[in-house]
Amino acid sequence: MPGEETTELSLTPRSTAPQTWTATVAESKFYWYDLLADGTQLPDFRDPVGRYLRRMQFALDGTMEKRLIYFLVARPRVRIDPQRSVSWGFFSLKLTIPVLIGAEARKSTITVELDVPFEATLKKPTVELQDKYLLLNWGALTETFSIHDLLQRYDTGLPNAGKILYVGQTHNPSGKLAKGMVTAVNRLREATEQEYDSFLLVQRYEVQVETTSTELLEEPSTRTRTDIVEGALIRYFEGATPTGRRDSELSTRRDHLHELQQTYWLERLTVDTGFKDADAFYELGSDTVPASRRHVFECTFEQGVAEVTPLAAAGRPLVELKA
Protein backbone atom coordinates (compact mmCIF):
# COMPACT_ATOMS: atom_id res chain seq x y z
CA MET A 1 0.00 0.00 0.00
CA PRO A 2 1.31 3.52 -0.68
CA GLY A 3 3.44 4.81 2.17
CA GLU A 4 4.56 1.37 3.37
CA GLU A 5 7.92 -0.29 2.94
CA THR A 6 8.70 -1.64 -0.53
CA THR A 7 11.48 -4.11 0.31
CA GLU A 8 9.33 -6.99 -0.87
CA LEU A 9 9.12 -5.61 -4.40
CA SER A 10 12.86 -5.23 -4.84
CA LEU A 11 13.32 -8.94 -3.98
CA THR A 12 10.67 -10.19 -6.40
CA PRO A 13 11.84 -11.13 -9.92
CA ARG A 14 9.97 -10.04 -13.01
CA SER A 15 7.51 -12.67 -14.18
CA THR A 16 8.67 -14.75 -17.13
CA ALA A 17 5.13 -15.06 -18.54
CA PRO A 18 2.00 -12.88 -18.54
CA GLN A 19 -0.45 -13.26 -15.66
CA THR A 20 -4.22 -12.78 -15.47
CA TRP A 21 -5.91 -12.53 -12.08
CA THR A 22 -9.47 -13.12 -10.92
CA ALA A 23 -10.56 -11.68 -7.56
CA THR A 24 -13.67 -12.95 -5.75
CA VAL A 25 -15.11 -12.27 -2.31
CA ALA A 26 -14.20 -14.89 0.30
CA GLU A 27 -15.40 -13.17 3.50
CA SER A 28 -17.67 -10.18 4.03
CA LYS A 29 -18.94 -8.30 7.09
CA PHE A 30 -20.79 -5.02 7.70
CA TYR A 31 -20.09 -2.84 10.75
CA TRP A 32 -22.25 0.17 11.64
CA TYR A 33 -19.31 2.52 11.94
CA ASP A 34 -21.20 5.37 13.63
CA LEU A 35 -21.70 3.23 16.74
CA LEU A 36 -17.94 3.01 17.28
CA ALA A 37 -16.80 6.35 15.90
CA ASP A 38 -19.25 8.20 18.17
CA GLY A 39 -18.16 6.37 21.30
CA THR A 40 -15.70 8.08 23.62
CA GLN A 41 -15.54 5.44 26.38
CA LEU A 42 -15.11 1.69 26.42
CA PRO A 43 -18.62 0.18 26.41
CA ASP A 44 -19.86 -1.38 29.67
CA PHE A 45 -19.88 -5.15 29.22
CA ARG A 46 -22.53 -5.52 31.94
CA ASP A 47 -25.08 -3.70 29.76
CA PRO A 48 -26.70 -5.51 26.78
CA VAL A 49 -25.89 -2.64 24.42
CA GLY A 50 -22.39 -2.41 25.90
CA ARG A 51 -21.83 -6.12 25.24
CA TYR A 52 -23.05 -5.65 21.67
CA LEU A 53 -20.63 -2.76 21.10
CA ARG A 54 -17.72 -4.59 22.71
CA ARG A 55 -18.21 -7.62 20.45
CA MET A 56 -18.36 -5.32 17.43
CA GLN A 57 -15.29 -3.42 18.57
CA PHE A 58 -13.28 -6.57 19.17
CA ALA A 59 -14.27 -7.98 15.78
CA LEU A 60 -13.25 -4.81 13.97
CA ASP A 61 -10.04 -4.51 15.99
CA GLY A 62 -9.17 -8.03 14.85
CA THR A 63 -9.16 -6.93 11.23
CA MET A 64 -6.51 -4.28 11.81
CA GLU A 65 -3.70 -6.86 11.83
CA LYS A 66 -4.96 -8.29 8.52
CA ARG A 67 -4.73 -6.97 5.01
CA LEU A 68 -8.37 -6.70 3.93
CA ILE A 69 -10.40 -4.33 1.78
CA TYR A 70 -12.89 -1.98 3.41
CA PHE A 71 -15.53 0.27 1.90
CA LEU A 72 -17.06 3.29 3.61
CA VAL A 73 -20.76 2.92 2.80
CA ALA A 74 -23.48 5.53 3.37
CA ARG A 75 -27.05 4.28 3.90
CA PRO A 76 -30.28 6.25 4.40
CA ARG A 77 -30.57 7.32 8.03
CA VAL A 78 -33.04 5.18 10.02
CA ARG A 79 -33.85 5.30 13.73
CA ILE A 80 -36.27 3.52 16.03
CA ASP A 81 -38.90 5.84 17.52
CA PRO A 82 -39.02 5.19 21.31
CA GLN A 83 -41.91 7.68 21.65
CA ARG A 84 -44.28 5.26 19.94
CA SER A 85 -45.26 1.71 20.82
CA VAL A 86 -44.70 -1.62 19.15
CA SER A 87 -47.56 -3.91 18.15
CA TRP A 88 -47.80 -7.68 17.86
CA GLY A 89 -49.54 -9.79 15.23
CA PHE A 90 -52.38 -12.07 16.35
CA PHE A 91 -51.10 -15.46 17.55
CA SER A 92 -47.63 -14.83 16.11
CA LEU A 93 -44.28 -13.27 16.83
CA LYS A 94 -44.67 -10.65 14.13
CA LEU A 95 -43.47 -7.44 15.71
CA THR A 96 -44.18 -4.02 14.18
CA ILE A 97 -41.61 -1.41 15.19
CA PRO A 98 -42.01 2.38 14.77
CA VAL A 99 -39.14 4.03 12.91
CA LEU A 100 -38.02 7.48 11.76
CA ILE A 101 -36.51 7.82 8.29
CA GLY A 102 -34.11 10.39 6.92
CA ALA A 103 -32.96 13.76 8.21
CA GLU A 104 -36.59 14.87 8.34
CA ALA A 105 -37.45 11.94 10.69
CA ARG A 106 -40.40 10.77 8.62
CA LYS A 107 -42.59 8.34 10.57
CA SER A 108 -42.94 4.79 9.33
CA THR A 109 -42.90 1.20 10.62
CA ILE A 110 -41.14 -2.06 9.88
CA THR A 111 -42.42 -5.55 10.66
CA VAL A 112 -40.21 -8.50 11.58
CA GLU A 113 -41.08 -12.07 12.53
CA LEU A 114 -39.01 -13.14 15.50
CA ASP A 115 -37.45 -16.54 16.07
CA VAL A 116 -37.54 -17.92 19.61
CA PRO A 117 -33.96 -18.48 20.86
CA PHE A 118 -33.14 -21.93 22.20
CA GLU A 119 -32.32 -20.45 25.63
CA ALA A 120 -35.60 -18.51 25.92
CA THR A 121 -37.79 -19.09 28.96
CA LEU A 122 -40.57 -16.78 27.72
CA LYS A 123 -42.80 -17.47 24.72
CA LYS A 124 -42.92 -13.77 23.89
CA PRO A 125 -40.18 -11.30 24.86
CA THR A 126 -40.57 -7.99 26.59
CA VAL A 127 -39.45 -5.21 24.24
CA GLU A 128 -37.30 -2.16 24.94
CA LEU A 129 -36.89 0.51 22.29
CA GLN A 130 -33.88 2.79 22.00
CA ASP A 131 -33.24 5.10 19.06
CA LYS A 132 -30.56 2.79 17.60
CA TYR A 133 -31.35 -0.51 19.31
CA LEU A 134 -34.09 -3.06 19.86
CA LEU A 135 -33.71 -5.13 23.04
CA LEU A 136 -35.68 -8.37 23.41
CA ASN A 137 -35.77 -9.90 26.89
CA TRP A 138 -36.61 -13.61 26.62
CA GLY A 139 -36.19 -14.26 30.33
CA ALA A 140 -32.96 -16.25 30.26
CA LEU A 141 -31.27 -13.93 27.82
CA THR A 142 -31.56 -10.53 26.16
CA GLU A 143 -31.05 -10.15 22.44
CA THR A 144 -29.73 -6.83 21.15
CA PHE A 145 -30.23 -5.69 17.57
CA SER A 146 -29.31 -2.40 15.98
CA ILE A 147 -31.95 -0.96 13.66
CA HIS A 148 -29.70 -1.82 10.73
CA ASP A 149 -29.34 -5.41 11.93
CA LEU A 150 -33.09 -5.66 11.50
CA LEU A 151 -32.97 -4.08 8.05
CA GLN A 152 -30.30 -6.53 6.97
CA ARG A 153 -31.92 -9.61 8.47
CA TYR A 154 -35.53 -8.99 7.42
CA ASP A 155 -37.26 -7.87 4.25
CA THR A 156 -38.78 -4.67 5.61
CA GLY A 157 -39.65 -2.99 2.34
CA LEU A 158 -37.60 0.10 3.13
CA PRO A 159 -35.23 1.37 0.41
CA ASN A 160 -31.85 -0.04 1.27
CA ALA A 161 -29.36 0.86 -1.47
CA GLY A 162 -26.01 1.96 -0.09
CA LYS A 163 -23.49 4.34 -1.60
CA ILE A 164 -19.77 3.56 -1.53
CA LEU A 165 -17.82 6.70 -0.64
CA TYR A 166 -14.30 5.38 -0.12
CA VAL A 167 -12.16 2.26 -0.59
CA GLY A 168 -9.20 1.39 1.60
CA GLN A 169 -7.24 -1.33 3.40
CA THR A 170 -7.70 -2.38 7.01
CA HIS A 171 -4.05 -3.22 7.61
CA ASN A 172 -3.03 -0.87 10.41
CA PRO A 173 -1.57 -2.36 13.63
CA SER A 174 -2.21 0.89 15.52
CA GLY A 175 -5.95 0.43 14.86
CA LYS A 176 -6.67 3.93 13.58
CA LEU A 177 -9.66 2.81 11.53
CA ALA A 178 -11.31 0.94 14.39
CA LYS A 179 -10.73 3.94 16.66
CA GLY A 180 -12.28 6.40 14.22
CA MET A 181 -8.96 8.14 13.52
CA VAL A 182 -8.67 7.90 9.71
CA THR A 183 -8.95 11.48 8.47
CA ALA A 184 -10.34 10.74 5.01
CA VAL A 185 -13.03 8.44 6.41
CA ASN A 186 -14.03 10.90 9.13
CA ARG A 187 -14.26 13.78 6.69
CA LEU A 188 -16.64 11.88 4.40
CA ARG A 189 -18.68 10.59 7.31
CA GLU A 190 -19.11 14.05 8.82
CA ALA A 191 -20.19 15.47 5.47
CA THR A 192 -23.06 12.97 5.16
CA GLU A 193 -24.10 12.20 8.75
CA GLN A 194 -27.27 14.33 8.73
CA GLU A 195 -28.92 12.20 6.04
CA TYR A 196 -26.98 8.95 6.10
CA ASP A 197 -25.62 6.33 8.47
CA SER A 198 -22.03 5.21 7.86
CA PHE A 199 -20.85 1.62 7.61
CA LEU A 200 -17.63 -0.23 7.05
CA LEU A 201 -17.96 -3.17 4.70
CA VAL A 202 -14.88 -5.32 5.31
CA GLN A 203 -14.07 -8.00 2.73
CA ARG A 204 -11.36 -10.51 2.02
CA TYR A 205 -10.76 -11.28 -1.63
CA GLU A 206 -9.30 -14.49 -2.98
CA VAL A 207 -7.15 -13.99 -6.06
CA GLN A 208 -6.67 -16.76 -8.60
CA VAL A 209 -3.55 -16.33 -10.72
CA GLU A 210 -3.34 -17.83 -14.19
CA THR A 211 0.01 -17.99 -15.97
CA THR A 212 2.11 -20.36 -18.03
CA SER A 213 5.08 -19.72 -15.77
CA THR A 214 6.09 -22.45 -13.31
CA GLU A 215 8.38 -20.24 -11.19
CA LEU A 216 7.14 -20.38 -7.59
CA LEU A 217 8.95 -17.16 -6.75
CA GLU A 218 6.57 -15.33 -9.05
CA GLU A 219 3.55 -16.06 -6.84
CA PRO A 220 2.30 -12.64 -5.62
CA SER A 221 2.06 -12.05 -1.88
CA THR A 222 -1.11 -11.16 0.02
CA ARG A 223 0.08 -7.57 0.19
CA THR A 224 0.63 -7.38 -3.57
CA ARG A 225 -2.74 -8.91 -4.40
CA THR A 226 -4.57 -6.62 -2.00
CA ASP A 227 -2.80 -3.49 -3.26
CA ILE A 228 -3.77 -4.25 -6.85
CA VAL A 229 -7.37 -5.22 -6.03
CA GLU A 230 -7.70 -2.06 -3.94
CA GLY A 231 -6.44 0.05 -6.84
CA ALA A 232 -8.98 -1.53 -9.18
CA LEU A 233 -11.86 -1.05 -6.74
CA ILE A 234 -10.92 2.61 -6.16
CA ARG A 235 -10.97 3.22 -9.90
CA TYR A 236 -14.30 1.42 -10.34
CA PHE A 237 -16.24 2.92 -7.41
CA GLU A 238 -14.51 6.30 -7.02
CA GLY A 239 -13.86 7.09 -10.68
CA ALA A 240 -10.84 8.28 -12.65
CA THR A 241 -10.32 11.34 -10.41
CA PRO A 242 -11.30 10.34 -6.86
CA THR A 243 -12.41 13.27 -4.74
CA GLY A 244 -11.07 13.52 -1.21
CA ARG A 245 -7.69 12.04 -2.12
CA ARG A 246 -4.57 14.17 -2.31
CA ASP A 247 -2.55 14.43 -5.50
CA SER A 248 0.48 13.04 -3.67
CA GLU A 249 -1.47 9.92 -2.68
CA LEU A 250 -2.74 9.40 -6.23
CA SER A 251 0.78 9.81 -7.65
CA THR A 252 2.32 7.39 -5.14
CA ARG A 253 -0.39 4.82 -5.80
CA ARG A 254 0.03 5.17 -9.56
CA ASP A 255 3.80 4.56 -9.31
CA HIS A 256 3.24 1.63 -6.95
CA LEU A 257 0.68 -0.04 -9.21
CA HIS A 258 2.91 0.47 -12.25
CA GLU A 259 5.80 -1.27 -10.48
CA LEU A 260 3.57 -4.17 -9.43
CA GLN A 261 2.08 -4.54 -12.90
CA GLN A 262 5.55 -4.65 -14.43
CA THR A 263 6.90 -7.03 -11.79
CA TYR A 264 4.15 -9.60 -12.28
CA TRP A 265 3.49 -8.91 -15.97
CA LEU A 266 -0.17 -8.50 -15.06
CA GLU A 267 -2.20 -8.26 -18.23
CA ARG A 268 -5.70 -8.27 -16.78
CA LEU A 269 -7.55 -8.38 -13.47
CA THR A 270 -11.20 -9.41 -13.23
CA VAL A 271 -13.05 -8.47 -10.03
CA ASP A 272 -16.40 -10.00 -8.99
CA THR A 273 -18.00 -8.52 -5.85
CA GLY A 274 -20.95 -10.94 -5.85
CA PHE A 275 -21.46 -14.07 -3.78
CA LYS A 276 -24.23 -16.56 -3.00
CA ASP A 277 -26.94 -15.38 -0.58
CA ALA A 278 -25.97 -11.70 -0.77
CA ASP A 279 -28.96 -9.90 0.74
CA ALA A 280 -30.50 -6.52 -0.06
CA PHE A 281 -27.89 -4.83 2.14
CA TYR A 282 -25.42 -5.52 -0.66
CA GLU A 283 -27.32 -3.33 -3.10
CA LEU A 284 -24.36 -0.98 -3.51
CA GLY A 285 -23.42 1.75 -5.97
CA SER A 286 -21.47 5.00 -6.01
CA ASP A 287 -21.31 8.32 -7.83
CA THR A 288 -19.77 6.51 -10.80
CA VAL A 289 -21.69 3.20 -10.97
CA PRO A 290 -25.38 2.29 -10.46
CA ALA A 291 -26.46 0.22 -7.47
CA SER A 292 -26.32 -3.56 -7.81
CA ARG A 293 -25.85 -6.59 -5.56
CA ARG A 294 -23.08 -7.74 -7.85
CA HIS A 295 -20.43 -5.76 -9.69
CA VAL A 296 -18.21 -7.53 -12.21
CA PHE A 297 -15.52 -5.64 -14.08
CA GLU A 298 -12.21 -6.06 -15.85
CA CYS A 299 -9.22 -3.86 -15.03
CA THR A 300 -5.99 -3.19 -16.88
CA PHE A 301 -3.11 -0.97 -15.81
CA GLU A 302 -1.21 1.33 -18.16
CA GLN A 303 1.69 3.17 -16.51
CA GLY A 304 -0.06 2.56 -13.19
CA VAL A 305 -3.34 4.10 -14.37
CA ALA A 306 -6.25 1.70 -13.90
CA GLU A 307 -8.85 1.39 -16.64
CA VAL A 308 -12.03 -0.57 -15.95
CA THR A 309 -14.62 -2.19 -18.19
CA PRO A 310 -17.92 -3.41 -16.67
CA LEU A 311 -18.77 -7.02 -17.52
CA ALA A 312 -22.06 -8.89 -17.60
CA ALA A 313 -22.66 -11.07 -14.53
CA ALA A 314 -24.96 -13.48 -16.36
CA GLY A 315 -23.47 -16.93 -16.74
CA ARG A 316 -20.79 -16.40 -14.12
CA PRO A 317 -21.03 -18.74 -11.11
CA LEU A 318 -21.45 -17.17 -7.68
CA VAL A 319 -18.99 -18.15 -4.97
CA GLU A 320 -19.92 -19.17 -1.44
CA LEU A 321 -18.45 -17.23 1.45
CA LYS A 322 -15.98 -18.97 3.72
CA ALA A 323 -17.42 -20.21 7.00
Side-chain angles (χ1 to χ4, degrees), residues 22-301:
T22 301
T24 55
V25 179
E27 296 178 78
S28 187
K29 176 69 176 179
F30 269 105
Y31 300 91
W32 187 358
Y33 189 55
D34 297 324
L35 301 182
L36 296 180
D38 286 339
T40 55
Q41 297 181 341
L42 196 65
D44 186 352
F45 202 76
R46 295 167 294 182
D47 175 70
V49 171
R51 288 195 295 272
Y52 177 95
L53 291 174
R54 286 282 285 270
R55 287 193 297 268
M56 179 178 167
Q57 189 176 57
F58 292 157
L60 188 56
D61 280 342
T63 69
M64 296 300 102
E65 297 291 335
K66 303 174 184 177
R67 197 174 290 279
L68 308 172
I69 297 292
Y70 75 85
F71 304 85
L72 178 65
V73 179
R75 291 195 171 280
R77 179 185 174 93
V78 183
R79 294 290 183 271
I80 294 173
D81 185 358
Q83 304 305 314
R84 293 187 284 159
S85 301
V86 300
S87 60
W88 292 96
F90 289 110
F91 308 111
S92 74
L93 286 178
K94 284 189 175 180
L95 178 65
T96 298
I97 304 163
V99 296
L100 303 170
I101 302 174
E104 71 280 8
R106 177 171 56 86
K107 291 184 178 181
S108 186
T109 60
I110 61 172
T111 299
V112 302
E113 186 160 8
L114 304 178
D115 296 316
V116 180
F118 178 78
E119 303 91 340
T121 55
L122 299 175
K123 293 183 178 179
K124 182 178 289 188
T126 58
V127 179
E128 179 184 343
L129 300 181
Q130 299 183 14
D131 65 338
K132 297 177 182 176
Y133 303 98
L134 171 73
L135 281 70
L136 303 175
N137 187 334
W138 294 92
L141 83 158
T142 298
E143 289 186 302
T144 303
F145 300 95
S146 76
I147 176 59
H148 286 286
D149 290 336
L150 300 175
L151 297 183
Q152 184 170 14
R153 179 175 295 195
Y154 301 98
D155 183 7
T156 63
L158 292 183
N160 234 0
K163 180 179 179 181
I164 293 177
L165 304 178
Y166 188 86
V167 183
Q169 287 190 40
T170 60
H171 181 70
N172 179 246
S174 62
K176 288 186 176 181
L177 181 64
K179 297 172 184 176
M181 297 170 61
V182 176
T183 302
V185 171
N186 288 343
R187 184 167 56 247
L188 289 167
R189 174 177 169 269
E190 290 167 2
T192 59
E193 63 182 345
Q194 294 303 313
E195 297 185 28
Y196 296 95
D197 293 325
S198 295
F199 293 79
L200 294 180
L201 169 58
V202 179
Q203 295 185 323
R204 180 173 68 83
Y205 281 80
E206 283 191 349
V207 178
Q208 180 181 359
V209 178
E210 295 183 11
T211 181
T212 59
S213 173
T214 58
E215 294 290 336
L216 295 180
L217 289 177
E218 296 176 7
E219 183 72 13
S221 68
T222 298
R223 174 193 165 187
T224 293
R225 298 177 196 218
T226 307
D227 284 353
I228 290 181
V229 172
E230 177 196 27
L233 289 166
I234 289 173
R235 172 61 180 86
Y236 182 76
F237 285 111
E238 297 187 37
T241 55
T243 58
R245 295 185 185 268
R246 296 180 178 177
D247 291 342
S248 57
E249 177 194 346
L250 297 175
S251 176
T252 301
R253 188 183 307 280
R254 184 170 58 249
D255 293 344
H256 183 58
L257 290 177
H258 177 58
E259 185 173 7
L260 292 177
Q261 189 271 332
Q262 291 291 302
T263 299
Y264 293 96
W265 200 344
L266 178 59
E267 287 194 328
R268 182 176 67 257
L269 165 67
T270 300
V271 179
D272 187 346
T273 69
F275 55 89
K276 287 184 178 179
D277 302 322
D279 54 37
F281 230 61
Y282 285 89
E283 194 79 19
L284 299 171
S286 71
D287 284 337
T288 61
V289 295
S292 175
R293 293 192 191 186
R294 186 182 189 186
H295 295 269
V296 185
F297 63 93
E298 184 178 280
C299 183
T300 58
F301 298 91

